Amino acid sequence: MAAATKEKPAAQAAPVPRLLDKYQKEILPGLGTKFGRENRLSLPRLQKIVLNMGVGKALQDKERMKQAAEHLGMIAGQRPQILKAKQAVSAFRLREGNEIGCRVTLRGKRMYEFLDRLINVALPRIRDFRGVNPKSFDGNGNYSMGLTEQLVFPEIDPDKVTFTQGMDITFVTSTRNDDESRELLRAFGMPFREETK
């Protein structure tokens, strides 16, 4: 009987990420009012976040790729996919099949947890941070931004890092309208830079 009661706490559902809860309770109704739409399914939502590290120097130093993938895994909370060159480019001394980068695609709860950490922990740690570029949309409602180093994430121990590595972060949304996507990200707390006219 005692063994059965011990297993019950493990069966409890994992807590809902803070930003997902905020999206469902505050952001969705707010966007519906702003855009004048009652159908919740027609409102923009975040579908996935893609983190991408191009590790060009891995061609000379194989250890670089291993470390970059390890860092990206710590930041994202899931194992990254190693990307290989699809074709040879002699000008870059690149052969087909060479490992040149790593990528992680986040969806669901992990995506919202990463977004929370990015907005509230990582971005404020950037030196002389004045906000992210509000124009980096691709015309289809997706937003891309770059970070120059991985050390802004607290998961990475600066004492164990031998090199700094930048990364690209792409936010893929369900809308094809850049303005709607911008409003969605702003509602999540994305610190867009104020446009000076």
Side-chain angles (χ1 to χ4, degrees):
M1 192 73 178
T5 53
K6 277 185 183 176
E7 288 177 19
K8 276 190 179 177
Q12 287 176 346
V16 176
R18 199 171 62 88
L19 282 186
L20 176 57
D21 192 46
K22 183 181 178 183
Y23 174 71
Q24 291 167 343
K25 291 178 181 171
E26 297 171 32
I27 297 173
L28 262 182
L31 290 175
T33 309
K34 187 158 199 167
F35 301 137
R37 297 207 293 260
E38 287 184 22
N39 185 353
R40 285 188 155 211
L41 297 176
S42 72
L43 296 171
R45 67 183 178 279
L46 205 54
Q47 290 183 322
K48 62 182 176 180
I49 297 177
V50 181
L51 283 73
N52 178 29
M53 268 188 185
V55 192
K57 292 193 174 151
L59 296 173
Q60 287 89 35
D61 183 7
K62 295 279 183 236
E63 194 61 30
R64 276 237 169 165
M65 177 56 77
K66 191 176 170 188
Q67 280 188 17
E70 193 178 296
H71 291 162
L72 191 58
M74 289 163 89
I75 291 165
Q78 75 185 42
R79 193 165 158 225
Q81 173 189 10
I82 304 292
L83 302 173
K84 296 184 178 181
K86 290 181 181 172
Q87 59 187 40
V89 181
S90 59
F92 298 122
R93 296 180 182 169
L94 185 64
R95 290 196 184 133
E96 191 178 339
N98 280 357
E99 294 181 348
I100 53 167
C102 48
R103 172 181 70 192
V104 167
T105 302
L106 299 172
R107 290 184 171 88
K109 289 184 178 179
R110 272 201 187 131
M111 171 181 74
Y112 286 103
E113 283 163 3
F114 171 78
L115 182 61
D116 200 355
R117 279 185 292 124
L118 176 73
I119 293 170
N120 298 308
V121 180
L123 291 179
R125 289 175 59 156
I126 296 174
R127 195 179 295 128
D128 299 328
F129 182 67
R130 291 187 179 89
V132 294
N133 186 354
K135 293 181 179 174
S136 297
F137 287 86
D138 66 353
N140 284 319
N142 305 317
Y143 181 73
S144 295
M145 61 175 282
L147 293 176
T148 53
E149 57 182 31
Q150 79 278 44
L151 297 173
V152 293
F153 290 96
E155 293 87 353
I156 307 297
D157 183 1
D159 299 332
K160 294 179 181 174
V161 172
T162 54
F163 65 94
T164 57
Q165 174 68 47
M167 70 178 77
D168 295 315
I169 304 170
T170 303
F171 303 89
V172 180
T173 63
S174 62
T175 179
R176 291 191 154 256
N177 185 322
D178 286 352
D179 294 328
E180 288 187 8
S181 183
R182 192 179 291 109
E183 285 303 322
L184 172 68
L185 291 174
R186 193 172 272 133
F188 277 124
M190 184 66 79
F192 287 113
R193 202 164 42 235
E194 289 298 319
E195 288 295 285
T196 52
K197 291 180 182 176

